[in-house]
Amino acid sequence: MATLGQLQKAMDRASSYGEWTEAALAHDRKTGAERWKQIDQSRRYDYVSIRIRVDRLRSLRAKHDNRGLLFNLNEGIHGNMGGMGRSSLYEKAKFGTKQLVVDYVDEVVSALNHLASPDVDDISFEEKLDFFRRADHCFGRSAFMMSGSGSLLYFHIGAVRALWEEGLLPEVMSGSSGGAFVGSLLSLHTDDELGSFLDPEYLFQRIDEETGFFTSHRKYRPKMMQIDEIQQIIENLLPDLTFQEAFERTGRQLNVSIAPAETHQKSRLLNAITSPNVFVREAVLASAAVPGVYPPVTLAARNHLGEKQAYLPSRKWVDGSVSDDMPAKRLARLYGVNHYIVSQTAPHVLPFIADGKKRVGAWNHLRDASVSTARAWINAGASTIEKPLSHSPSLTRMTNIALSVINQDYIGDINILPSSRLFNPFKVLAYLNEKEIGDLITMGQRSAWPKIEMIRTQTKISRTLSRILTDYDEEHVQHVKAALRRQAS
């Protein structure tokens, strides 16, 4: 029988989520975590109220009391009922959490599907549609946010692949720098096409076709990626579509963070809502323009004649991660997002963040206190020298960038972090060889696998509501068209 150490190694070396799951479940059985999952009681959440609610929903559905079921669901559907959304509930076991939490989510999903069924005819279509719209609005949505990463973007690709293979990739996503490039791959290519782009062998082939890096003589190449090569890769891998056209093609809501190259301007989040006619390619190139390393970029947009032209030609833009790497507030305002899955690879951030919003333990409290204190002192110091710096626009701009980087929040509700927190900062903009790229993709997958069941459970209700609403909205359109035809006749 395998020891705990051997099972941990099996998880660390797994080549698929199935292999990882098998080892994780065996680990849980050996540690007693499997038994812990089957017992309702825990101080980590309000198991009594959740158990009562599960039993009530089951009883109403069994009695076909559709009105009662609708009334109970109207009382409130949210992802943190009784504290069941706390990350601490997913730390005891390697795979999953309390079975009661899973049962509650499954019962809510079953109730929603039951009410959505045409067989439930004692509730009108209009009343159902109104309920599902309100429930969707109240429950909120999930978003997948990818940090600025430069050449470490392949970690994001691994994380994306893990979620995509399980059907758990949110439709709303954001990215800056390397994260913007990965997000654009997802949003510009259909599901049928994505399988290839998420395959390491295919990626190696396409990258080599564009750069010749894997087959050319490397000693004659500069260590840092050149802007013209980055632009060439973007042009060859990304279709030349606007944000609106990308959304219409794939249904995914891409958001790209960019920062102004000039002082006194505000950062922007480009997407199909705020900038539908802006081209994705130029947005990604701007988001990759690291200040002081690559030149700022002018955006492009499709005009009313369908022609490509400069967008805000007097302004130039740079890497969005320096101002808004994780645009949580903007996503909340635009899409009703209240649940954030983060893939974080920024080398200057990783050593200082913990896996979770609130972690216990003396070391975590000490680290959080140290970071907060350092941040406060830096901001105070910057305020002190603000007036002298005003005489030097370049120093003012660099100070503002530094403060923006320091004052941002870099984690979400679920965080996918590399197993190794220390990366060589000089590698961030450098060429990576085939092994380094493969290792990053694998690390991204393996870092995401322990989060899969947490993501599955916490997003299942919102995914169900989204699917039901899509069907109902289409049916509603048909109802309206039929009514108009009757009026016309």
Side-chain angles (χ1 to χ4, degrees):
M1 184 175 291
T3 65
L4 288 177
Q6 290 171 330
L7 291 171
Q8 184 62 55
K9 284 184 179 179
M11 285 186 281
D12 294 340
R13 298 172 181 174
S15 59
S16 69
Y17 184 57
E19 286 184 16
W20 185 91
T21 297
E22 185 178 352
L25 288 172
H27 194 285
D28 285 347
R29 288 191 293 270
K30 198 169 186 66
T31 60
E34 187 62 37
R35 174 173 169 75
W36 174 85
K37 287 187 279 187
Q38 303 305 320
I39 299 172
D40 289 357
Q41 290 83 353
S42 174
R43 290 189 297 177
R44 304 183 189 204
Y45 72 127
D46 185 0
Y47 60 89
V48 174
S49 63
I50 295 175
R51 170 55 67 187
I52 291 172
R53 192 161 177 81
V54 168
D55 293 342
R56 184 187 303 152
L57 291 174
R58 282 176 177 169
S59 174
L60 290 168
R61 195 156 60 90
K63 293 187 294 186
H64 302 286
D65 185 355
N66 298 324
R67 284 285 172 186
L69 195 60
L70 183 65
F71 177 82
N72 273 271
L73 290 175
N74 259 317
E75 285 184 341
I77 302 176
H78 56 83
N80 199 26
M81 171 71 67
M84 70 177 196
R86 291 174 182 159
S87 59
S88 60
L89 281 170
Y90 293 84
E91 295 170 356
K92 177 76 172 179
K94 296 292 184 181
F95 183 91
T97 185
K98 289 285 190 181
Q99 187 60 42
L100 176 59
V101 173
V102 178
D103 289 345
Y104 172 75
V105 170
D106 287 346
E107 190 56 43
V108 170
V109 167
S110 296
L112 292 171
N113 286 326
H114 172 74
L115 290 176
S117 170
D119 296 336
V120 176
D121 54 8
D122 54 340
I123 302 174
S124 69
F125 174 83
E126 289 72 19
E127 190 174 355
K128 289 183 186 181
L129 180 60
D130 177 68
F131 162 71
F132 287 124
R133 283 176 174 170
R134 284 187 290 105
D136 181 65
H137 178 74
C138 293
F139 191 86
R141 307 176 71 181
S142 296
F144 184 61
M145 301 194 295
M146 292 167 281
S147 70
S149 55
S151 298
L152 304 180
L153 64 89
Y154 300 101
F155 177 89
H156 294 324
I157 290 178
V160 164
R161 185 178 181 184
L163 270 61
W164 182 74
E165 288 178 344
E166 294 297 313
L168 298 175
L169 190 64
E171 292 178 351
V172 178
M173 58 191 66
S174 72
S176 57
S177 186
F181 178 77
V182 177
S184 64
L185 277 179
L186 300 173
S187 302
L188 292 170
H189 296 95
T190 64
D191 283 343
D192 291 337
E193 298 167 332
L194 265 187
S196 297
F197 283 97
L198 297 179
D199 176 43
E201 294 298 326
Y202 180 81
L203 269 179
F204 296 151
Q205 178 186 340
R206 290 299 301 270
I207 293 170
D208 195 50
E209 287 175 0
E210 307 308 331
T211 66
F213 178 68
F214 300 129
T215 54
S216 64
H217 297 290
R218 300 178 190 176
K219 65 180 180 180
Y220 299 115
R221 302 181 65 85
K223 291 183 179 180
M224 189 178 75
M225 294 189 72
Q226 303 301 297
I227 187 62
D228 58 331
E229 292 177 317
I230 295 175
Q231 187 170 0
Q232 184 180 0
I233 291 173
I234 288 174
E235 289 177 354
N236 283 279
L237 294 185
L238 304 182
D240 199 18
L241 301 176
T242 66
F243 280 90
Q244 180 63 33
E245 291 164 349
F247 172 69
E248 291 172 355
R249 188 166 196 260
T250 66
R252 285 184 268 272
Q253 292 278 11
L254 172 65
N255 294 264
V256 174
S257 293
I258 57 172
E262 305 89 358
T263 311
H264 305 307
Q265 297 294 334
K266 296 292 186 181
S267 64
R268 292 201 175 192
L269 188 66
L270 304 175
N271 50 62
I273 297 176
T274 63
S275 48
N277 299 317
V278 171
F279 281 91
V280 174
R281 282 182 181 176
E282 282 73 17
V284 173
L285 190 62
S287 193
V290 179
V293 180
Y294 298 127
V297 174
T298 300
L299 299 175
R302 196 183 301 283
N303 65 20
H304 64 289
L305 299 175
E307 301 166 341
K308 192 171 187 176
Q309 67 176 42
Y311 179 75
L312 300 175
S314 63
R315 294 184 183 175
K316 292 184 180 293
W317 306 88
V318 296
D319 184 355
S321 64
V322 302
S323 60
D324 203 7
D325 199 28
M326 298 285 132
K329 291 182 179 179
R330 287 172 169 172
L331 294 181
R333 184 172 64 251
L334 289 169
Y335 305 103
V337 171
N338 58 1
H339 183 255
Y340 303 92
I341 304 165
V342 171
S343 178
Q344 179 58 259
T345 60
H348 62 284
V349 171
L350 289 174
F352 306 103
I353 59 175
D355 183 7
K357 285 191 171 179
K358 294 182 180 179
R359 299 297 300 267
V360 296
W363 164 246
N364 288 298
H365 287 310
L366 180 61
R367 175 171 55 186
D368 292 344
S370 300
V371 171
S372 297
T373 302
R375 182 182 291 177
W377 275 106
I378 291 171
N379 280 289
S383 298
T384 303
I385 62 174
E386 183 177 2
K387 190 169 183 178
L389 284 177
S390 63
H391 300 293
S392 173
S394 59
L395 284 177
T396 299
R397 186 161 51 250
M398 293 305 296
T399 302
N400 290 339
I401 289 174
L403 289 176
S404 179
V405 170
I406 290 168
N407 289 320
Q408 292 184 58
D409 290 325
Y410 290 96
I411 60 173
D413 298 286
I414 300 176
N415 302 290
I416 302 172
L417 308 176
S419 53
S420 173
R421 300 294 184 89
L422 299 176
F423 286 105
N424 183 349
F426 296 104
K427 281 278 190 180
V428 174
L429 300 177
Y431 287 97
L432 301 183
N433 60 42
E434 194 169 346
K435 182 181 183 304
E436 289 171 325
I437 291 174
D439 288 347
L440 279 171
I441 293 175
T442 299
M443 186 189 296
Q445 286 182 275
R446 289 174 176 167
S447 298
W449 287 337
K451 308 292 184 179
I452 289 293
E453 296 311 311
M454 186 179 184
I455 294 171
R456 193 191 311 278
T457 300
Q458 294 191 356
T459 64
K460 193 170 186 177
I461 293 175
S462 64
R463 287 184 286 116
T464 301
L465 285 168
S466 178
R467 176 183 53 78
I468 291 174
L469 265 180
T470 298
D471 294 340
Y472 264 56
D473 284 338
E474 291 176 358
E475 189 174 345
H476 180 61
V477 171
Q478 297 304 319
H479 282 193
V480 172
K481 288 182 177 179
L484 291 174
R485 283 195 296 268
R486 286 194 298 270
Q487 288 180 0
S489 61

